[in-house]
Amino acid sequence: MVNASRKLQGAPTDATMPPLTPASSGGKGVHAEQQESPQIPSTLTIRTLALNAVEAIHGIRPLEQLSRYVTGEVFERLLLQRSLRRDRQAVYRDERRIVPLPGKIVSSMPHPGKIHAAVVMHTGERSFAVVLRLEKIESRWRATELAIL
């Protein structure tokens, strides 16, 4: 089921994450580190990964869909957060469904092969941030740190 407001926001409408695509190189001003690494995740990929992580914790999406894009440690942490979320919902009998909409993305590449990013997520009642650290591991970008603040 596709949320109509997501279509308006330009968020991805399918249940899968887009593949990692090369970022557009504007020609001038591209760092040498970025030229060595031809496949840099686009902002759409970062936004989708953050959105999918939030949806997985809230039980909207299967957590296994993220296993390809995160390390084992991050996967276990997300699994724990999901378990704690379910326990909290059972105790408080909270049956609300949170529908996050991704907002502004801030990212930087402090070291070659490492990207730090923060994505603001908006719900009807509040906003929160998802912070990520992506590292190139065996020619694939994976989230080595992911926290929902």
Side-chain angles (χ1 to χ4, degrees):
M1 184 166 112
V2 176
N3 190 338
S5 61
R6 281 200 185 146
K7 284 185 178 178
L8 296 175
Q9 293 289 328
T13 56
D14 61 336
T16 60
M17 289 181 48
L20 297 177
T21 58
S24 62
S25 60
K28 297 180 182 178
V30 176
H31 297 291
E33 298 87 24
Q34 291 177 349
Q35 289 176 348
E36 291 174 5
S37 175
Q39 286 194 339
I40 296 174
S42 66
T43 56
L44 176 63
T45 302
I46 294 169
R47 174 184 287 143
T48 304
L49 179 58
L51 178 64
N52 289 350
V54 171
E55 289 178 345
I57 288 174
H58 290 286
I60 300 169
R61 169 179 306 283
L63 191 58
E64 290 75 24
Q65 287 183 355
L66 294 175
S67 63
R68 181 178 176 195
Y69 301 100
V70 299
T71 60
E73 183 180 309
V74 171
F75 185 82
E76 289 176 10
R77 212 172 313 130
L78 290 173
L79 194 60
L80 176 64
Q81 285 182 324
R82 183 179 196 164
S83 174
L84 292 172
R85 171 93 177 138
R86 284 185 178 168
D87 291 347
R88 181 185 174 281
Q89 285 178 324
V91 168
Y92 291 106
R93 297 181 184 176
D94 184 8
E95 297 179 12
R96 293 177 291 171
R97 181 174 173 192
I98 294 177
V99 180
L101 294 172
K104 184 177 179 178
I105 297 175
V106 178
S107 64
S108 66
M109 188 177 230
H111 303 287
K114 296 178 182 173
I115 296 173
H116 293 179
V119 182
V120 178
M121 292 287 173
H122 302 284
T123 64
E125 301 160 354
R126 61 176 236 173
S127 296
F128 54 94
V130 178
V131 292
L132 305 135
R133 179 182 178 128
L134 300 168
E135 292 185 21
K136 192 159 189 173
I137 301 172
E138 298 176 3
S139 73
R140 176 191 269 168
W141 288 96
R142 298 181 88 182
T144 56
E145 295 291 330
L146 192 148
I148 299 171
L149 306 176

